[in-house]
Amino acid sequence: MFITFEGPDGSGKTTQARLCAADLQARGHLVEFTREPGGTAISEQIRQVVLAKRNLAMQSETEALLFSAARAQIVAELIRPALAAGKIVICDRYADSTLAYQGYGLGLDLDALRAITRFATGGLVPDLTVYVDVPVEVGLARRHRGETNRLDHKALEYHARVRAGYLELIQREPARWIVIDGAREIEMVQADIRAQIERRGI
Ligand code: TYD
């Protein structure tokens, strides 16, 4: 069982992914928790390059390929072996992030990104994706401690495109996604995710 968590920046999905992993483990499942970009030594090195603030000159295409390169490694080295061993794999972000951020956010061609993703992952698609949703302003305010007014308009528009992109991805494939309102107390969001996952028989 391969479960991914997605959401805009500041949605709280990392906290929720960890809580969900702990919860499933407590219920006796074998759980492998990991994150993207990262999760393996090579992927963490790629993460350093792709997220480094000094790499301002990075092209959108370079960014998409680096995220995909990190993904190829984590899929082959960690995710597929864990799934083969019968574990539940929980991954904080996965290929939908590339479609949302580099596709809808930066405007790269979605079909090209889908082809690159298939190449990188060998076609491994999550069984379930938990989308933790928050309005863009709320997410960015959480990240920047209320100082959204210091973020330029371009950044806000970019994140709005990312969120709208997620909503479009969900509409295309509703059966794979669970949509959660993340603008609530941590415990409420957690309980909601647990209930929805249990409803799926996990
Ligand atoms: P991270 O610090 O892990 O943030 P978060 O808690 O929001 O996941 O940084 C990951 C950043 O990388 C985040 O802003 C989303 C972005 N990202 C992409 O743009 N494309 C991708 O394919 C992935 C996996 C992440």
Short mmCIF file of all heavy atoms in Angstrom, two decimals, residues 9 13-14 36-37 47 51 67 71 93-94 97-98 101-102 143, ligand 1:
data_model
loop_
_atom_site.label_atom_id
_atom_site.label_comp_id
_atom_site.label_asym_id
_atom_site.label_seq_id
_atom_site.Cartn_x
_atom_site.Cartn_y
_atom_site.Cartn_z
N ASP A 9 2.27 24.73 0.29
CA ASP A 9 3.21 25.07 1.35
C ASP A 9 2.42 25.55 2.57
O ASP A 9 1.48 26.32 2.44
CB ASP A 9 4.17 26.18 0.89
CG ASP A 9 5.15 25.68 -0.16
OD1 ASP A 9 4.76 24.85 -0.99
OD2 ASP A 9 6.31 26.12 -0.13
N LYS A 13 0.81 19.26 6.04
CA LYS A 13 0.76 17.85 5.60
C LYS A 13 1.91 17.02 6.17
O LYS A 13 1.74 15.83 6.36
CB LYS A 13 0.73 17.75 4.08
CG LYS A 13 1.99 18.23 3.52
CD LYS A 13 2.22 17.94 2.11
CE LYS A 13 3.50 18.65 1.74
NZ LYS A 13 4.61 18.57 2.73
N THR A 14 3.06 17.67 6.43
CA THR A 14 4.19 16.90 6.98
C THR A 14 3.85 16.39 8.38
O THR A 14 4.07 15.22 8.70
CB THR A 14 5.46 17.77 7.00
OG1 THR A 14 5.73 18.16 5.65
CG2 THR A 14 6.65 17.01 7.56
N GLU A 36 9.85 13.54 0.06
CA GLU A 36 10.43 13.99 -1.20
C GLU A 36 10.55 15.51 -1.20
O GLU A 36 9.67 16.17 -0.66
CB GLU A 36 9.53 13.58 -2.36
CG GLU A 36 9.80 12.21 -2.90
CD GLU A 36 9.64 12.25 -4.41
OE1 GLU A 36 10.30 13.09 -5.05
OE2 GLU A 36 8.84 11.47 -4.91
N PRO A 37 11.53 16.07 -1.86
CA PRO A 37 12.70 15.38 -2.38
C PRO A 37 13.58 14.91 -1.22
O PRO A 37 13.71 15.63 -0.24
CB PRO A 37 13.42 16.45 -3.21
CG PRO A 37 12.98 17.75 -2.64
CD PRO A 37 11.59 17.53 -2.13
N ARG A 47 18.31 17.05 -3.24
CA ARG A 47 17.47 18.03 -2.52
C ARG A 47 18.26 19.30 -2.20
O ARG A 47 17.76 20.40 -2.35
CB ARG A 47 16.95 17.38 -1.22
CG ARG A 47 16.12 18.32 -0.37
CD ARG A 47 15.76 17.71 0.98
NE ARG A 47 15.05 18.68 1.80
CZ ARG A 47 13.72 18.80 1.82
NH1 ARG A 47 12.97 18.01 1.12
NH2 ARG A 47 13.15 19.72 2.56
N LEU A 51 16.79 22.76 -3.73
CA LEU A 51 16.15 23.71 -2.81
C LEU A 51 17.09 24.83 -2.33
O LEU A 51 16.66 25.71 -1.59
CB LEU A 51 15.55 22.98 -1.60
CG LEU A 51 14.40 22.00 -1.88
CD1 LEU A 51 13.87 21.39 -0.58
CD2 LEU A 51 13.25 22.66 -2.66
N PHE A 67 13.93 17.18 -9.45
CA PHE A 67 12.92 16.53 -8.60
C PHE A 67 12.65 15.11 -9.10
O PHE A 67 12.50 14.18 -8.30
CB PHE A 67 11.61 17.33 -8.60
CG PHE A 67 11.60 18.54 -7.69
CD1 PHE A 67 11.39 19.82 -8.19
CD2 PHE A 67 11.79 18.40 -6.32
CE1 PHE A 67 11.37 20.93 -7.36
CE2 PHE A 67 11.78 19.50 -5.47
CZ PHE A 67 11.57 20.77 -6.00
N ARG A 71 13.38 11.43 -7.43
CA ARG A 71 12.25 10.49 -7.34
C ARG A 71 12.64 9.11 -7.89
O ARG A 71 12.29 8.08 -7.31
CB ARG A 71 11.06 11.07 -8.10
CG ARG A 71 9.78 10.24 -8.01
CD ARG A 71 8.59 11.08 -8.42
NE ARG A 71 8.53 12.27 -7.61
CZ ARG A 71 8.41 13.52 -8.08
NH1 ARG A 71 8.29 13.73 -9.38
NH2 ARG A 71 8.39 14.53 -7.27
N ARG A 93 4.96 14.11 -0.02
CA ARG A 93 5.10 14.59 -1.41
C ARG A 93 5.57 13.47 -2.34
O ARG A 93 6.34 12.59 -1.95
CB ARG A 93 6.06 15.78 -1.56
CG ARG A 93 5.59 17.05 -0.88
CD ARG A 93 6.32 18.27 -1.45
NE ARG A 93 5.91 19.49 -0.77
CZ ARG A 93 4.79 20.14 -1.05
NH1 ARG A 93 3.99 19.71 -1.98
NH2 ARG A 93 4.47 21.25 -0.39
N TYR A 94 5.09 13.56 -3.58
CA TYR A 94 5.49 12.61 -4.63
C TYR A 94 5.21 13.29 -5.98
O TYR A 94 5.20 14.53 -6.06
CB TYR A 94 4.71 11.30 -4.44
CG TYR A 94 5.12 10.14 -5.34
CD1 TYR A 94 6.40 9.59 -5.28
CD2 TYR A 94 4.22 9.61 -6.27
CE1 TYR A 94 6.77 8.53 -6.10
CE2 TYR A 94 4.58 8.56 -7.09
CZ TYR A 94 5.85 8.02 -7.01
OH TYR A 94 6.21 6.98 -7.83
N SER A 97 3.36 16.58 -6.77
CA SER A 97 4.01 17.87 -6.49
C SER A 97 4.66 18.44 -7.74
O SER A 97 4.64 19.65 -7.97
CB SER A 97 5.09 17.71 -5.40
OG SER A 97 4.52 17.60 -4.12
N THR A 98 5.24 17.58 -8.56
CA THR A 98 5.89 18.06 -9.80
C THR A 98 4.84 18.61 -10.76
O THR A 98 5.05 19.66 -11.39
CB THR A 98 6.69 16.92 -10.46
OG1 THR A 98 7.70 16.51 -9.55
CG2 THR A 98 7.34 17.37 -11.76
N TYR A 101 3.51 22.00 -8.91
CA TYR A 101 4.48 23.11 -8.78
C TYR A 101 5.16 23.46 -10.10
O TYR A 101 5.18 24.62 -10.50
CB TYR A 101 5.54 22.77 -7.72
CG TYR A 101 5.03 22.92 -6.30
CD1 TYR A 101 4.30 21.92 -5.68
CD2 TYR A 101 5.29 24.07 -5.56
CE1 TYR A 101 3.83 22.04 -4.38
CE2 TYR A 101 4.84 24.21 -4.25
CZ TYR A 101 4.11 23.20 -3.67
OH TYR A 101 3.65 23.34 -2.39
N GLN A 102 5.74 22.43 -10.76
CA GLN A 102 6.47 22.74 -12.00
C GLN A 102 5.50 22.84 -13.19
O GLN A 102 5.74 23.57 -14.13
CB GLN A 102 7.55 21.69 -12.27
CG GLN A 102 8.82 21.87 -11.43
CD GLN A 102 8.61 21.62 -9.95
OE1 GLN A 102 8.06 20.59 -9.55
NE2 GLN A 102 9.02 22.58 -9.14
N ARG A 143 3.77 29.74 7.15
CA ARG A 143 5.19 29.65 6.82
C ARG A 143 5.97 30.89 7.26
O ARG A 143 7.09 30.82 7.70
CB ARG A 143 5.36 29.49 5.31
CG ARG A 143 5.31 28.07 4.81
CD ARG A 143 6.61 27.38 5.11
NE ARG A 143 6.44 25.94 5.25
CZ ARG A 143 6.59 25.09 4.25
NH1 ARG A 143 6.95 25.52 3.08
NH2 ARG A 143 6.42 23.81 4.45
P1 TYD B 1 10.03 21.15 1.94
O1 TYD B 1 10.94 21.99 2.77
O2 TYD B 1 10.09 19.68 2.06
O3 TYD B 1 8.56 21.70 2.14
P2 TYD B 1 7.14 21.04 2.39
O4 TYD B 1 7.03 20.85 3.87
O5 TYD B 1 6.19 22.06 1.86
O6 TYD B 1 7.06 19.75 1.61
O7 TYD B 1 10.30 21.60 0.45
C1 TYD B 1 9.76 20.99 -0.60
C2 TYD B 1 9.48 22.09 -1.63
O8 TYD B 1 9.73 21.56 -2.91
C3 TYD B 1 8.04 22.53 -1.58
O9 TYD B 1 7.96 23.94 -1.72
C4 TYD B 1 7.44 21.89 -2.79
C5 TYD B 1 8.61 21.73 -3.72
N1 TYD B 1 8.50 20.58 -4.66
C6 TYD B 1 8.32 20.85 -6.00
O10 TYD B 1 8.25 22.02 -6.41
N2 TYD B 1 8.24 19.80 -6.89
C7 TYD B 1 8.34 18.50 -6.49
O11 TYD B 1 8.27 17.57 -7.32
C8 TYD B 1 8.52 18.23 -5.08
C9 TYD B 1 8.63 16.83 -4.59
C10 TYD B 1 8.60 19.31 -4.21
#
